[in-house]
């Protein structure tokens, strides 16, 4: 039995509003600078809003690291001390989070049983409530319906968007908790791009008649960044030349980040992530160098590599061990000690942790400052959850750095980190963006591709090249060799900086690179990455249409455009160079040369 379990078998303290008032605004680690010892402004405002009417349903949307757990437990203690509820039920996505919630609740005198099972006849007298997973509820919804109707219950639905994961989960949650007296729904990633409704969430029509989710209180990443509650995130993007052999024996090469077909992009991406290739080894080395820099000002700073599967996770751990001289913690979902290993890493000072999905959502390891996004999962929801592991600020000025491959949709998600999205029950035809369901279907199709997964596919070589830094929706820096002084300028940015200081330093590095002739002199000191990505997507669609019209392969059309307009390949081209190629191709469509 782990420490959390032992604590919860002791007699409970009395529930204490006073203890809840003094719980760190960002439990389990100390709050950001200037906020310790009292509720953050958003928590106090949301609490007052809730207590004004004590509604049956309340949806709070707050960015990861903002302190949703503290807010929810304060509401729980208030309702229980006033006699409004007699039992608390917390529902969360993972087993690990059950113990995390139970530990936090114990600090305010609420004893929640994280080991409660569907086979139990009832709750032990030493407990004030239970912690469950969504999957556990889905296995016995009528059992939990009986429990929630037997007593005046507050149900806390943590990361409630999981209620829309599939029909069985959504239906089960509705059945189980429809009788509950109060339901408090929490989420740090409010949007899902599919149209499955989320239980107990209100939907209202927008100006286009599309029904979108309505939160009762919202506190986004941009708000938290302004208040110093979360860290600013720099995305270190790496491109490079990939070579692989298809099932049919054809040797293919492509530059990661070039406009490619869906399957070509997937294969180039897979080649980059191959543990035997140089790309991932060079990127892990750069990330370890960045971690060393950050630890000069944040001594306990840690790093996390998010891998695609167990095999690559173990391989990445061995690479990191040879680079850093220290064996990383490897967190795998089939390891029964995974939760204890996460807690051990969180409370220690070791450098690296490698995980597949165990640390993708809700798990708090506040000392994580450097990340490597080495997974092929590319939905907006997963990306936001993964990046949420790095944003929790413990003191003012901490920054986060996430290394990722130069894949167009990932760069788009990185550039839109501050975007606020609501869940829509239908999608207007004009709405663009990365659709979770469509991407998941596309990934299933890619995994079924003969060339991608068929016997005979072989990654041959993968070299990394520093591409750019994406920060606050803008691009900084242009291509540089791995190990060069230009790359070192960006890796060496201090780990303690205010957001505006990050921007100032990135601009300075960009200007220095351009002055030395390392960047295209025609490029602006700071590129509008959103517009550049839009233009690259526009060019890609035009090339595809022209290929259908002429029968010429995409690659040859890009080569013709480079010859006609000058400049490097698309992945390295400036905004102006991409726009020039669009104009040239439009002329070709109408017969002008």
């Amino acid at each position: 039995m782990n420490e959390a379990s032992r604590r919860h078998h002791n007699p409970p303290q009395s529930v204490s509003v006073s203890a809840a008032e003094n719980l760190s605004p960002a439990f389990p680690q100390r709050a950001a600078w200037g906020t310790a010892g009292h509720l953050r402004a958003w928590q106090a405002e949301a609490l007052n809003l809730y207590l004004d009417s004590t509604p049956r349903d309340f949806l709070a949307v707050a960015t990861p690291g903002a302190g949703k757990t503290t807010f929810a437990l304060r509401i729980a203690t208030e309702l229980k001390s006033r006699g409004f509820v007699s039992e608390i039920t917390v529902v969360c996505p993972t087993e690990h989070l059950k113990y995390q919630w139970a530990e936090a609740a114990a600090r305010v005198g609420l004893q929640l049983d994280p080991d409660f099972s569907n086979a139990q006849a009832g709750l032990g007298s030493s407990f004030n409530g239970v912690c469950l997973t969504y999957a556990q509820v889905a296995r016995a919804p009528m059992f939990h319906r009986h429990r929630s109707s037997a007593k005046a219950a507050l149900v806390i639905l943590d990361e409630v968007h999981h209620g829309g994961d599939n029909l069985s989960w959504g239906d089960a949650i509705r059945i189980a908790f429809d009788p509950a007296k109060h339901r408090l729904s929490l989420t740090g990633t409010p949007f899902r791009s599919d149209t499955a409704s989320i239980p107990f969430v209100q939907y209202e029509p927008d100006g286009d008649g599309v029904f979108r989710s309505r939160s009762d209180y919202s506190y986004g990443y941009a708000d938290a960044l302004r208040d110093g509650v979360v860290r600013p995130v720099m995305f270190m993007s790496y491109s490079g030349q990939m070579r692989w052999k298809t099932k049919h024996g054809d040797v293919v090469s492509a530059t990661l980040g070039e406009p490619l077909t869906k399957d070509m992009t997937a294969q180039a991406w897979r080649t980059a992530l191959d543990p035997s290739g140089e790309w991932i080894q060079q990127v892990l080395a750069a990330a370890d160098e960045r971690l060393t820099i950050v630890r000069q000002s944040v001594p306990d700073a840690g790093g996390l590599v998010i891998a695609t599967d167990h095999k690559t996770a173990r391989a990445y751990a061995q690479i990191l061990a040879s680079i850093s001289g220290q064996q990383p913690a490897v967190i795998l979902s089939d390891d029964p000690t995974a939760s204890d290993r996460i807690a051990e890493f969180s409370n220690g000072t070791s450098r690296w942790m490698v995980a597949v999905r165990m640390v993708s959502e809700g798990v708090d390891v506040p000392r994580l400052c450097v990340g490597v996004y080495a997974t092929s999962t590319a939905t907006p929801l997963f990306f936001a959850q993964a990046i949420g592991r790095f944003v929790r600020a413990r003191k003012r000025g901490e920054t986060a750095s996430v290394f990722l491959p130069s894949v167009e949709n990932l760069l788009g998600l990185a550039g839109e980190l501050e975007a606020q999205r609501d869940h829509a029950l239908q999608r207007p035809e004009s709405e663009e963006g990365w659709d979770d369901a469509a991407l998941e279907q596309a990934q299933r199709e890619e995994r079924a591709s003969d060339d991608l997964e068929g016997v005979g596919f072989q990654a041959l070589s993968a070299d990394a090249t520093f591409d750019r830094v994406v920060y606050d929706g803008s691009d900084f820096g242009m291509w540089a060799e791995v190990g060069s002084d230009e790359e070192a300028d960006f890796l060496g940015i201090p780990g303690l900086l205010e957001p505006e200081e990050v921007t100032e330093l990135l601009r300075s590095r960009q200007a220095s690179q351009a002055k030395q002739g390392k960047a295209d002199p025609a490029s602006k000191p700071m590129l509008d990455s959103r517009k550049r990505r839009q233009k690259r997507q526009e060019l890609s669609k035009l090339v595809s249409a022209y290929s259908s019209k002429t029968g010429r392969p995409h690659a040859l059309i890009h080569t013709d455009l480079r010859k006609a307009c000058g400049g490097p390949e698309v992945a390295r081209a400036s905004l102006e160079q991409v726009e020039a190629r669009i104009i040239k191709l439009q002329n070709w469509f109408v017969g002008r040369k």
Side-chain angles (χ1 to χ4, degrees):
M1 184 182 299
N2 61 29
E3 181 63 25
S5 298
R6 285 193 294 269
R7 278 196 300 269
H8 291 285
H9 286 279
N10 294 327
Q13 309 169 46
S14 298
V15 61
S16 171
V17 173
S18 175
E21 289 175 348
N22 290 287
L23 183 65
S24 164
F27 183 85
Q29 291 282 335
R30 66 186 180 86
W33 178 86
T35 63
H38 56 77
L39 288 178
R40 288 172 173 162
W42 83 264
Q43 293 167 328
E45 187 176 31
L47 176 65
N48 290 335
L49 181 65
Y50 184 92
L51 294 178
D52 280 346
S53 59
T54 56
R56 188 180 187 197
D57 285 295
F58 191 91
L59 171 61
V61 175
T63 190
K68 292 185 293 296
T69 301
T70 294
F71 167 69
L73 290 175
R74 179 63 184 276
I75 286 182
T77 57
E78 291 280 358
L79 293 184
K80 198 163 191 318
S81 65
R82 298 181 188 194
F84 291 175
V85 300
S86 58
E87 190 168 301
I88 313 296
T89 296
V90 175
V91 189
C92 49
T94 67
E95 290 288 326
H96 177 82
L97 285 176
K98 290 198 306 182
Y99 292 94
Q100 192 165 285
W101 270 97
E103 180 183 358
R107 291 176 177 249
V108 299
L110 285 172
Q111 301 298 311
L112 304 182
D113 185 1
D115 298 312
F116 184 85
S117 75
N118 293 346
Q120 287 184 221
L123 183 65
S125 59
S126 62
F127 292 103
N128 306 117
V130 300
C131 294
L132 312 169
T133 64
Y134 286 98
Q136 183 178 352
V137 173
R139 288 193 293 269
M142 290 304 297
F143 169 70
H144 293 288
R145 180 183 180 89
H146 175 73
R147 290 195 65 258
S148 64
S149 60
K151 294 186 176 182
L154 165 66
V155 177
I156 299 172
L157 298 164
D158 187 25
E159 305 296 353
V160 71
H161 53 266
H162 283 280
D165 277 349
N166 56 55
L167 289 177
S168 64
W169 280 28
D171 289 344
I173 294 166
R174 286 190 181 90
I175 292 170
F177 303 120
D178 181 66
K181 186 175 182 181
H182 293 282
R183 293 178 292 254
L184 174 60
S185 298
L186 309 171
T187 182
T189 47
F191 60 90
R192 290 181 56 85
S193 296
D194 58 28
T195 56
S197 63
I198 300 172
F200 314 124
V201 171
Q202 299 298 312
Y203 293 87
E204 296 177 347
D206 62 10
D208 297 321
V210 175
F211 279 79
R212 295 187 180 274
S213 60
R214 179 187 64 80
S215 62
D216 296 286
Y217 192 89
S218 181
Y219 185 69
Y221 175 79
D223 300 321
L225 186 63
R226 181 195 62 234
D227 294 343
V229 169
V230 295
R231 299 171 179 142
V233 181
M234 294 182 290
F235 292 95
M236 308 289 190
S237 170
Y238 280 74
S239 182
Q241 192 69 21
M242 308 295 133
R243 289 180 68 250
W244 65 92
K245 184 172 69 174
T246 70
K247 171 186 177 181
H248 305 293
D250 298 324
V251 176
V252 181
S253 64
T255 301
L256 194 65
E258 284 270 20
L260 302 169
T261 64
K262 179 181 64 181
D263 282 348
M264 284 278 285
T265 296
Q267 293 176 57
W269 192 348
R270 180 188 178 189
T271 302
L273 298 181
D274 189 320
S276 64
E278 292 188 11
W279 188 93
I280 189 64
Q281 296 177 30
Q282 291 170 329
V283 170
L284 289 175
D288 187 68
E289 181 179 344
R290 175 65 186 153
L291 181 59
T292 297
I293 297 295
V294 173
R295 285 170 74 101
Q296 292 176 6
S297 49
V298 186
D300 69 337
L304 167 65
V305 179
I306 301 175
T308 298
D309 54 47
H310 291 190
K311 181 180 178 181
T312 55
R314 293 187 181 96
Y316 294 162
Q318 291 307 309
I319 295 170
L320 276 172
S322 65
I323 291 170
S324 67
Q326 186 179 109
Q327 188 66 41
V330 180
I331 312 298
L332 304 176
S333 56
D334 59 357
D335 181 357
T337 67
S339 292
D340 292 336
R341 291 173 65 81
I342 292 172
E344 181 182 358
F345 181 86
S346 181
N347 295 326
T349 60
S350 58
R351 293 177 70 87
W352 284 101
M353 174 166 60
V354 182
V356 181
R357 298 187 69 94
M358 282 294 293
V359 196
S360 65
E361 180 184 42
V363 175
D364 288 307
V365 186
R367 68 185 188 89
L368 290 176
C369 295
V370 177
V372 180
Y373 195 88
T375 174
S376 56
T377 304
T379 66
L381 189 62
F382 181 84
F383 185 84
Q385 292 165 356
I387 302 308
R389 300 315 100 215
F390 304 96
V391 301
R392 181 189 290 277
R394 300 174 300 168
K395 63 180 179 180
R396 196 171 185 118
E398 286 185 342
T399 62
S401 307
V402 177
F403 291 70
L404 46 73
S406 292
V407 176
E408 197 64 32
N409 57 325
L410 288 184
L411 294 176
L413 294 171
E416 296 173 359
L417 179 63
E418 296 181 15
Q420 295 293 303
R421 306 185 191 184
D422 294 316
H423 180 232
L425 289 182
Q426 66 259 40
R427 187 172 306 286
E429 293 183 2
S430 61
E431 184 172 302
E432 298 180 356
W434 294 99
D435 184 287
D436 283 356
L439 270 174
E440 288 167 355
Q441 177 62 33
Q443 288 168 346
R444 283 194 292 272
E445 292 170 359
E446 288 164 358
R447 285 194 289 269
S449 162
D450 286 341
D451 287 343
L452 183 58
E453 291 293 345
V455 176
F457 176 93
Q458 182 181 0
L460 298 178
S461 65
D463 294 322
T465 307
F466 174 76
D467 186 0
R468 74 194 87 157
V469 175
V470 178
Y471 177 71
D472 194 22
S474 297
D475 292 348
F476 299 84
M478 293 292 284
W479 283 42
E481 295 298 324
V482 170
S484 66
D485 291 341
E486 291 75 28
E487 180 200 30
D489 281 344
F490 290 96
L491 295 180
I493 290 175
L496 281 177
L497 289 173
E498 294 292 335
E500 59 274 12
E501 293 175 326
V502 175
T503 301
E504 183 179 344
L505 267 178
L506 288 172
R507 283 175 174 164
S508 173
R509 301 290 197 267
Q510 171 86 22
S512 175
Q513 202 177 24
K515 184 177 180 180
Q516 296 171 21
K518 300 297 184 180
D520 182 351
S523 66
K524 297 177 182 178
M526 184 171 62
L527 300 177
D528 185 333
S529 64
R530 290 189 182 92
K531 186 173 182 180
R532 184 169 179 262
R533 280 189 291 274
Q534 289 170 356
K535 289 299 180 181
R536 285 173 59 170
Q537 290 170 2
E538 181 181 347
L539 176 61
S540 180
K541 291 177 182 178
L542 283 172
V543 168
S544 180
Y546 196 67
S547 174
S548 298
K549 177 181 178 180
T550 63
R552 286 177 63 76
H554 291 204
L556 291 182
I557 297 172
H558 280 293
T559 299
D560 292 342
L561 286 170
R562 286 182 63 188
K563 289 179 179 177
C565 301
E569 59 267 32
V570 175
R572 297 179 59 183
S574 68
L575 172 62
E576 291 79 3
Q577 289 168 334
V578 174
E579 289 175 330
R581 294 178 198 186
I582 290 173
I583 294 171
K584 176 62 70 174
L585 192 51
Q586 289 171 336
N587 287 335
W588 289 355
F589 264 105
V590 296
R592 298 175 187 167
K593 298 296 181 181

